[in-house]
Amino acid sequence: MANKSFKYVIVGGGVSAGYAAREFAKQGVQPGELAIISKEGVAPYERPALSKAYLFPEGAARLPGFHTCVGSGGERLLPEWYTEKGINLILNTEIVKADLASKTLTSAAGETFTYKFLIIATGSTTLKLTDFGVEGASAKNILYLRDIDDADKLVEAIKAKKNGTAVVVGGGYIGLELSAVLKINNFDVKMVYPEPWCMPRLFTAGIAAFYEGYYEKKGVSIIKGTVASGFTSNDNGEVKEVKLKDGRVLEADIVVVGVGGRPLINLFKGQVEEEKGGIKTDASFKTSVPDVYAVGDVATFPMKLYGDIRRVEHVDHSRKSAEQAVKALFASQQGKEIEAYDYLPYFYSRSFDLSWQFYGDNVGETVIFGDHDPSSAKPKFGSYWIKEGKVVGAFLEGGAPEENQAIAKVAKLQPLASSLDALAKEGLEFASKI
Ligand code: FAD
């Protein structure tokens, strides 16, 4: 098998890879110097579209519409762009072995790739119910969503089971977005999760009560405090029923599972330092191995704002970390350093007519403000997180762009709050004054 050699290789062709490619071009990468090796069959795209507009019954998003970097208002990098820049997009190619000592990657087909500099951008994979040995979990139409192939399977199932019954397992943002989009596709939707409320890692009970109320109003049934413990299937091997641990049984034509992910770092185990489930990097996304960088979901990096180290699985960080790594890589070749990554956590989600943004850290005490009645014609509300008297996190549903910018500023500057009561009364005004 042939060996191909590049100055720079990015392993993984997702969001980070797309934003890294754009930064490589800005930094003046020469034709033939950079290769992106991806398991997927398409050029980098904005992954969040898959659980949103990609599944709409009408006017669905399709490639090439959402290639990176349109998600952040940037240029859409079509496959031709990569060709023009002399960037090698090596698609449908899974790397199965990485030897960082000899700077060699090996694909499933046995091809080898050598590099001078490597950027690891392999992202995450979804946890599967089969991994936990759940009875009957390998039945047809029990689906997951991580990449475009998964999304296409879901689109096919939605068509095949038109107006059917769907059970969504998991109460995170993927579960919430998928429940909404299945409802919009006219499915009878039930959501199941073990926690006392949805999105418990971020949402307070007050925030969650709004979304749960809104979903119920839209006709999504929510079943909390139990888990899917098994599945039965029909003669075609298609899922037919979901058995819950509390003894209930739900009919299902489709089951969609969103129970979390795991960063894909196995290829590099034992070769690079790890921390908090990811690959440990510095503030330029350099790993413990010379000439090797890690970005996006797989990187555990110093969070300057909070003085600790974290791994972040959000699209905004995948874009920014990729840009930071490429800038640092070019600077280091000129013996220079760039400013440390100074990230303000930012996460968003959209479903039905709703849209929220969160900035900062969700620690400490909380207040809720605004109209959080799920029956309101135009609900708009938010929350602040207060730690040691300072406002460190801010959430806003239904905010206008300048209001979202205002809450971002609050999370960044961490102003003092006079009292929780005053903050709750002032609400968005507090942010607008900062
Ligand atoms: P990815 O974008 O996952 O890219 C990794 C790439 O590496 C993939 O192409 C993969 O196939 C490839 N790869 C992996 N292993 C190999 C290998 N061995 N060989 C070759 N290629 C390999 N975040 C938000 O902030 N807001 C949202 O609304 C939101 N919605 C989302 C919706 C969905 C359905 C999903 C799955 C994620 C969503 N996210 C959202 C999270 C966000 O998309 C990720 O944080 C982001 O994509 C991470 O970028 P990445 O480049 O690290 O990984």
Side-chain angles (χ1 to χ4, degrees), residues 363-428:
V363 291
E365 293 176 283
T366 61
V367 294
I368 191 162
F369 60 83
D371 177 3
H372 49 95
D373 177 351
S375 312
S376 287
K378 240 189 163 342
K380 180 169 168 182
F381 73 97
S383 268
Y384 294 118
W385 279 257
I386 304 99
K387 190 184 163 194
E388 290 156 11
K390 291 181 191 161
V391 184
V392 293
F395 174 97
L396 187 59
E397 164 60 49
E402 61 280 6
E403 292 168 334
N404 288 326
Q405 274 166 23
I407 63 156
K409 203 166 165 199
V410 166
K412 179 83 187 169
L413 299 178
Q414 304 184 348
L416 285 172
S418 54
S419 78
L420 298 186
D421 281 351
L423 199 55
K425 273 199 201 95
E426 262 194 288
L428 203 47

Side-chain angles (χ1 to χ4, degrees), residues 103 115-119 286-287 289-293:
K103 297 189 163 188
Y115 57 82
K116 190 162 186 306
F117 297 99
L118 178 68
I119 299 183
K286 266 190 233 151
T287 70
V289 177
D291 305 333
V292 179
Y293 293 71

Side-chain angles (χ1 to χ4, degrees), residues 8 22 34 62 83 106 121 165 168 177 207 232 264 269 291 314 329 346 370 393 411 420:
Y8 309 104
R22 182 175 68 169
L34 170 63
R62 284 291 175 273
T83 315
T106 309
T165 303
V168 174
E177 291 183 358
I207 296 176
T232 59
L264 281 171
K269 278 247 172 262
D291 305 333
H314 301 157
L329 204 172
Y346 162 51
L420 298 186

Side-chain angles (χ1 to χ4, degrees), residues 52 55 74 94 114 233 244 246 277 279 292 315 348-349 351 360 399 411:
K52 304 176 183 71
L55 304 173
E94 183 179 6
T114 50
S233 30
L244 302 184
D246 68 7
I279 296 174
V292 179
V315 73
Y348 70 92
S349 178
S351 59

Side-chain angles (χ1 to χ4, degrees), residues 10-18 37-42 44-52 90 92-97 106-107 120-126 145-147 150-151 173-174 177-178 264 267-268 295-299 312-319 321-322 343 346-350 356:
I10 302 174
V11 58
V15 177
S16 302
I37 306 175
S38 181
K39 204 163 61 176
E40 292 190 79
V42 294
Y45 58 88
E46 302 284 359
R47 195 165 304 284
L50 298 182
S51 51
K52 304 176 183 71
I90 304 172
N92 297 307
T93 302
E94 183 179 6
I95 296 301
V96 292
K97 189 170 169 238
T106 309
S107 75
I120 301 171
T122 41
S124 308
T125 185
T126 46
L145 182 59
R146 181 72 209 178
D147 60 23
D150 297 333
Y173 75 91
I174 296 271
E177 291 183 358
L178 289 174
L264 281 171
L267 285 174
F268 312 99
V295 296
D297 283 5
V298 296
V312 172
E313 292 182 359
H314 301 157
V315 73
D316 177 60
H317 160 71
S318 66
R319 296 166 178 156
S321 59
Y343 187 63
Y346 162 51
F347 186 39
Y348 70 92
S349 178
R350 286 192 300 270
W356 58 258

Side-chain angles (χ1 to χ4, degrees), residues 199-281:
M199 287 275 299
R201 282 200 296 174
L202 173 62
F203 287 0
T204 61
I207 296 176
F210 167 80
Y211 292 98
E212 291 177 354
Y214 192 94
Y215 272 55
E216 296 270 10
K217 209 186 80 184
K218 290 278 184 189
V220 174
S221 311
I222 296 180
I223 300 169
K224 298 191 268 189
T226 189
V227 295
S229 58
F231 301 91
T232 59
S233 30
N234 64 20
D235 294 344
N236 299 326
E238 294 173 334
V239 70
K240 194 175 90 185
E241 285 167 341
V242 183
K243 294 192 254 178
L244 302 184
K245 204 173 170 192
D246 68 7
R248 277 182 276 183
V249 176
L250 311 175
E251 273 178 42
D253 298 309
I254 300 180
V255 174
V256 197
V257 184
V259 293
R262 171 174 63 77
L264 281 171
I265 61 168
N266 274 355
L267 285 174
F268 312 99
K269 278 247 172 262
Q271 304 183 63
V272 63
E273 264 183 57
E274 287 177 31
E275 192 83 51
K276 295 193 169 168
I279 296 174
K280 189 177 176 189
T281 75

